[in-house]
Amino acid sequence: MSGMRTEVAIVGAGPAGLLLSHLLAQDGVDSVVVERQSRQHVEARIRAGILEHSTVQLLDAAGLGERLHRDGFEHRGIYLQWPGERHHIDFLDRVGRSVWVYGQTQVTKDLGRAREADGQRILYEVSQTAVHDLESDTPSVTCVDRDGADVRIDAAVVVGCDGSFGPCRAAVPEAVRRTWERVYPYSWLGILADVAPSTDDLIYAWHPDGFALHSMRSAIVSRLYLQVPNGTDVETWPDDRIWAALATRLGHGQDGWQLTPGPITEKSVLPMRSYVQTPMRYGNLFLAGDAAHIVPPTGAKGLNLAVADVGLLAPALVALLRKKDTALAEAYSDTALRRVWRCTHFSWWMTTMLHTNGDPFDEQLQLSQLRWVAGSDAGAQGLAENYAGLPIGF
Ligand code: APR
Ligand code: PHB
């Protein structure tokens, strides 16, 4: 068994784990990260691509914003539409904040490079990760490294940034933890296509056939989604069928608007659920990002929530480890959960407003709600405020 000692042992090298190790290092706090997958796998995973105003600010302040400002795109709003109508909701005009289109894949690459340049200790391709003695001042993480050797990492604090399938959330005893879950009766079929986006801002479209979203990754790569039934096999969606459904649902031909199809380079089905586990701290174990909460992708809050958690947790751990000041660490779970529940509500609200479920009564309510959101200042303001992101601690 090889032994390592550090101040903070981090499980998971997704955006939450990498950003936490980065922010801690900036304040001189040492950490070791263990990750189940390879670095290539982590950096190739395709996820959402919208950064809220506060996420951009945090990445800038951490010195991670250079490529984001060069290759990302600032968006001032979104389109909300239903058959026959398309409305622009302008975040900048309404709440003075914009969002950025910049793939999570890119954020992870920027973080990976910065951590490598800093000499961060990251063990990729580990197995059998387990966390121990969380109630004590000497918690630890054990795993088997990529060469098959047993590793033990002794730390002052363990942070679970290990997503929804990692071991950390389950390490909180059942008597202590509480969970909330909503599984939605539909999924998203997502595609990446080598074609210039057919829109300047993202289009969120309600349609009787189901929701559709036109997003993008760059000036030459589009990202689009279709609502599909749970359990859908991608094989049943050949490229032509996908483009035809997108054209119908996104309103090809409506007021002269055209959807330009192109070669599809990636296709996958994403299930949709909401999940929250509390508390986000148990003894010397802290949870951040998907390890504590999952949102459905409508509204693109997942990555932003992970960044907000870490933005609270890093100064809390610095105060705890450097000054023995426990106040921020004690407040972490409650403070983070305020934003978690706000985003959980917003993601649920966007999801249930835009996805059809076959119930004709619900359809009429959705259309009425869409008309109100797009047509009234109060409605549009609420969407803009939540989409562009509320301040941490709201
Ligand atoms: N041991 C080590 N690492 C693990 C283990 C384990 N047993 N189990 C999971 N992991 C790793 C995963 O391989 C993954 O790289 O933890 C990491 C968790 O990363 P993410 O799932 O990306 O979660 P997070 O960093 O919280 O980022 C949240 O990612 O899934 C999206 O919608 C989500 O955009 C949001 C963001
Ligand atoms: C994406 O670009 O992947 C995306 C954008 C907006 C969403 C969800 C996903 O609401």
Side-chain angles (χ1 to χ4, degrees):
M1 163 101 56
S2 68
M4 293 168 98
R5 181 164 288 282
T6 185
E7 296 183 276
V8 182
I10 300 173
V11 183
L18 290 174
L19 180 59
L20 180 63
S21 73
H22 185 88
L23 297 178
L24 291 174
Q26 287 190 321
D27 276 310
V29 172
D30 186 64
S31 65
V32 173
V33 185
V34 298
E35 166 59 52
R36 192 165 53 102
Q37 305 286 357
S38 68
R39 181 168 169 190
Q40 291 74 4
H41 179 99
V42 168
E43 293 188 358
R45 273 191 308 229
I46 298 166
R47 298 271 175 83
I50 299 288
L51 307 186
E52 286 177 9
H53 182 76
S54 60
T55 299
V56 174
Q57 277 183 321
L58 195 145
L59 293 176
D60 281 345
L64 294 160
E66 189 199 324
R67 220 160 59 88
L68 148 64
H69 286 278
R70 195 184 65 218
D71 300 342
F73 295 86
E74 189 173 14
H75 281 233
R76 54 182 304 141
I78 59 162
Y79 295 101
L80 206 53
Q81 79 165 47
W82 55 96
E85 296 205 36
R86 178 176 296 170
H87 298 264
H88 191 253
I89 299 190
D90 194 300
F91 307 153
L92 216 49
D93 279 354
R94 290 190 173 277
V95 294
R97 299 194 295 277
S98 60
V99 297
W100 282 69
V101 168
Y102 189 65
Q104 180 172 323
T105 317
Q106 306 306 326
V107 175
T108 313
K109 279 190 187 142
D110 294 345
L111 280 163
R113 276 181 212 165
R115 299 320 305 130
E116 189 174 17
D118 250 12
Q120 173 71 44
R121 288 185 288 174
I122 307 182
L123 279 59
Y124 283 101
E125 296 174 73
V126 305
S127 55
Q128 297 175 43
T129 313
V131 292
H132 314 275
D133 304 321
L134 303 170
E135 301 88 348
S136 79
D137 290 336
T138 52
S140 63
V141 175
T142 55
C143 59
V144 175
D145 75 11
R146 64 158 74 111
D147 301 321
D150 289 324
V151 178
R152 175 188 169 109
I153 303 160
D154 289 299
V157 162
V158 172
V159 183
C161 296
D162 48 345
S164 42
F165 304 109
C168 289
R169 73 158 58 141
V172 179
E174 256 174 65
V176 175
R177 69 177 190 245
R178 194 156 172 211
T179 60
W180 291 262
E181 187 171 26
R182 171 75 36 100
V183 177
Y184 299 89
Y186 30 73
S187 302
W188 277 10
L189 171 67
I191 62 157
L192 269 178
D194 282 339
V195 61
S198 300
T199 178
D200 51 355
D201 277 340
L202 273 63
I203 306 172
Y204 287 80
W206 183 97
H207 191 277
D209 293 354
F211 170 69
L213 171 62
H214 191 330
S215 182
M216 60 203 74
R217 286 291 175 273
S218 72
I220 52 168
V221 176
S222 296
R223 176 90 171 133
L224 298 110
Y225 298 97
L226 286 167
Q227 176 186 341
V228 292
N230 284 348
T232 292
D233 177 358
V234 279
E235 296 304 320
T236 60
W237 282 88
D239 296 6
D240 289 352
R241 183 179 177 203
I242 292 175
W243 285 114
L246 286 167
T248 303
R249 298 188 199 181
L250 290 167
H252 177 82
Q254 188 175 310
D255 296 326
W257 181 78
Q258 307 243 312
L259 176 69
T260 310
I264 295 177
T265 57
E266 198 269 344
K267 226 185 256 188
S268 52
V269 173
L270 297 76
M272 312 206 13
R273 71 184 177 121
S274 301
Y275 177 92
V276 180
Q277 175 169 316
T278 67
M280 287 171 66
R281 176 193 188 176
Y282 171 69
N284 278 313
L285 171 72
F286 293 79
L287 300 175
D290 276 19
H293 41 73
I294 307 291
V295 288
T298 333
K301 287 295 176 204
L303 172 61
N304 294 293
L305 266 183
V307 169
D309 286 353
V310 169
L312 282 174
L313 185 55
L317 294 182
V318 172
L320 184 69
L321 297 168
R322 284 286 164 275
K323 300 184 206 135
K324 301 277 173 254
D325 178 349
T326 58
L328 290 176
E330 273 159 19
Y332 168 70
S333 181
D334 286 349
T335 311
L337 282 165
R338 287 176 69 92
R339 189 186 182 88
V340 167
W341 278 115
R342 176 86 304 280
C343 292
T344 300
H345 175 265
F346 177 67
S347 306
W348 165 89
W349 180 81
M350 286 283 277
T351 299
T352 51
M353 176 169 72
L354 287 161
H355 292 72
T356 50
N357 63 11
D359 182 324
F361 180 73
D362 285 349
E363 277 193 12
Q364 294 309 316
L365 294 181
Q366 289 174 324
L367 287 166
S368 172
Q369 188 178 6
L370 283 162
R371 272 185 229 110
W372 175 71
V373 169
S376 113
D377 276 340
Q381 196 83 6
L383 189 151
E385 189 173 55
N386 281 282
Y387 198 110
L390 285 149
I392 287 175
F394 175 83

